[in-house]
Amino acid sequence: MRIPYTGPLPPPIIVPRNANTTTGAISALTKFLFAPSTPRLSPAARTHAHTVLLTGAGVSVASGLADYRGTAGTYTLNKTYRPIYYNEFIFNHEARKRYWARSFLGWTNLHKARPNNAHLAIRELGKQGLVSTVITQNVDSFHPIAHPDLPTVELHGYLRSLVCIHCGNHLPRKDFQQSLSKLNPQWAAFLAEILETGALDSEHPDERRKRGLKTNPDGDVDVPGAPYTTFKYPACPACLASPPILSDGSRSIVELDANGAWSPRSTAGVLKPAVVMFGESIAAEIKTAAEEAVDNASKILVIGSSLATYSAWRLVKRAKERSMPIGVLNLGGVRGEESFYGKSNIGNDGSLGVRCSESADKILPLVVRNFELTATTG
């Protein structure tokens, strides 16, 4: 995944003009989803009268998770924040200690969080046959939990599992959390303390900062000045039981230190979250699945994403090149949105394209209700 676009985003372009109110946005989104395939599509594409959704961090904010570029997002409030990069994680033992310590602190609340009304509304849209597939940039697993019968392409992976970078073994994240607790009793006591105070439950960033905590997307909690270098993490159990053969043909070394943690003397056995880190390539089969989801739909609706990552932006670009109507439901600006609509605002009631700046968890349930009323009245 490429480094995200960090330039200033333009103010939202509201399309159609009456979508600048909640009532107008509901009407425009309903017409966008309900509209038949546009004649501008090829005859083959017009046979797929479904919408593909592309969702981002904004759709999970109502579940209590941090986003990147919202009014209380990490990039808005913490200008110095930078996520870990793939090569750092792979080659730097100290970087892994820091990553796992911060993930250890953030995992409990991420694990307790649940899908919100936006996810549930998407499930209903799928049941109505209006949505064919969801492509999500999120790694919180809320989409497959909320709508298991509606296909989800997890573009950037998921946090519910870990994968060994040497043998490919998968391990549930909840089991890994238990291992981290056993290896780091002082950190576990600190986590219990901050959970007891409710510091991680506060949705007000000022309250978290008073307690010295910085919460970031994807279950990352930073405690400035914390002794990250003391943190320990386990080795891959599969590699420990049977050290794999390395690319040079030699047998790897997988050792534990005196505390039972992965030893830096090891040449294998490193577990990584099953997410696509910045600087890491998206698996070919996932890229293909996302592209096919776009190609097999008649329109695309972006929800809760500023399209700052190229992996997401290129999918909307692909839809644009195929003359598919584009919809965006996102608070604040979106990368390149000025190129999405052109003259579609002239005489457009939302059927040819829609751009709303509303909260997904508030607006989507109302869109579902409006669609049901429209379908009932014919």
Side-chain angles (χ1 to χ4, degrees):
M1 183 164 58
R2 295 187 188 182
I3 309 308
Y5 174 80
T6 57
L9 294 170
I13 301 171
I14 303 302
V15 176
R17 291 187 180 90
N18 68 341
N20 61 347
T21 66
T22 298
T23 301
I26 293 168
S27 175
L29 283 165
T30 303
K31 289 173 180 175
F32 178 81
L33 291 165
F34 197 59
S37 299
T38 173
R40 290 180 295 174
L41 294 173
S42 67
R46 287 201 299 271
T47 63
H48 306 289
H50 300 290
T51 302
V52 60
L53 304 186
L54 174 58
T55 71
V59 82
S60 293
V61 169
S63 295
L65 304 189
D67 67 348
Y68 287 95
R69 293 169 184 83
T71 55
T74 293
Y75 288 153
T76 304
L77 299 176
N78 184 5
K79 303 297 185 182
T80 62
Y81 170 75
R82 64 180 294 276
I84 192 168
Y85 292 83
Y86 178 69
N87 284 345
E88 283 183 278
F89 187 93
I90 297 301
F91 297 113
N92 191 319
H93 177 45
E94 292 300 319
R96 289 197 294 272
K97 287 183 183 181
R98 184 175 67 252
Y99 176 87
W100 285 126
R102 291 165 59 151
S103 176
F104 173 71
L105 297 178
W107 168 252
T108 301
N109 272 28
L110 178 63
H111 186 54
K112 288 192 304 182
R114 291 293 177 265
N116 61 60
N117 288 336
H119 301 97
L120 301 181
I122 289 170
R123 178 187 65 193
E124 295 308 309
L125 293 174
K127 287 182 178 179
Q128 295 290 344
L130 295 174
V131 173
S132 55
T133 307
V134 176
I135 305 169
T136 186
Q137 302 168 72
N138 300 339
V139 295
D140 50 36
S141 300
F142 289 164
H143 281 294
I145 291 171
H147 47 77
D149 297 326
L150 177 62
T152 300
V153 179
E154 295 175 292
L155 192 63
H156 297 157
Y158 41 83
L159 284 170
R160 61 181 177 268
S161 297
L162 290 86
V163 61
C164 177
I165 65 174
H166 296 100
C167 74
N169 176 53
H170 281 255
L171 185 73
R173 180 62 175 81
K174 58 184 179 63
D175 294 348
F176 187 72
Q177 184 77 0
Q178 294 173 357
S179 297
L180 292 177
S181 292
K182 292 176 182 177
L183 287 171
N184 302 277
Q186 289 183 311
W187 283 86
F190 175 64
L191 174 59
E193 178 186 337
I194 61 176
L195 288 174
E196 180 68 23
T197 64
L200 297 180
D201 293 327
S202 174
E203 294 184 11
H204 198 294
D206 291 338
E207 292 299 317
R208 290 194 290 269
R209 282 199 293 271
K210 286 178 183 177
R211 297 181 173 100
L213 304 174
K214 294 182 179 180
T215 57
N216 302 307
D218 306 333
D220 174 68
V221 175
D222 183 19
V223 184
Y228 293 130
T229 190
T230 66
F231 200 80
K232 302 173 181 64
Y233 56 88
C236 167
C239 286
L240 191 60
S242 179
I245 301 298
L246 299 176
S247 58
D248 62 4
S250 64
R251 176 74 65 177
S252 63
I253 299 169
V254 184
E255 295 182 353
L256 302 180
D257 66 15
N259 299 294
W262 185 88
S263 168
R265 285 172 44 86
S266 302
T267 58
V270 173
L271 289 162
K272 169 190 170 295
V275 300
V276 180
M277 291 180 164
F278 290 110
E280 182 180 7
S281 298
I282 296 174
E285 63 271 20
I286 298 298
K287 288 180 66 175
T288 298
E291 291 169 355
E292 289 179 348
V294 172
D295 295 349
N296 290 331
S298 61
K299 65 195 84 166
I300 186 169
L301 176 61
V302 179
I303 303 176
S305 175
S306 61
L307 301 180
T309 58
Y310 181 76
S311 55
W313 183 82
R314 72 178 185 86
L315 293 173
V316 182
K317 179 175 178 287
R318 185 183 187 93
K320 177 69 174 177
E321 291 170 347
R322 293 172 60 82
S323 299
M324 293 168 60
I326 296 171
V328 176
L329 172 59
N330 184 66
L331 283 169
V334 169
R335 178 187 181 186
E337 65 176 286
E338 67 279 358
S339 67
F340 295 162
Y341 301 105
K343 298 180 180 179
S344 64
N345 198 26
I346 301 174
N348 173 30
D349 60 0
S351 303
L352 302 178
V354 62
R355 174 61 169 103
C356 306
S357 186
E358 301 274 352
S359 296
D361 66 296
K362 294 182 176 65
I363 208 81
L364 286 180
L366 297 175
V367 169
V368 170
R369 186 184 306 170
N370 192 51
F371 170 75
E372 290 171 345
L373 290 172
T374 301
T376 300
T377 59

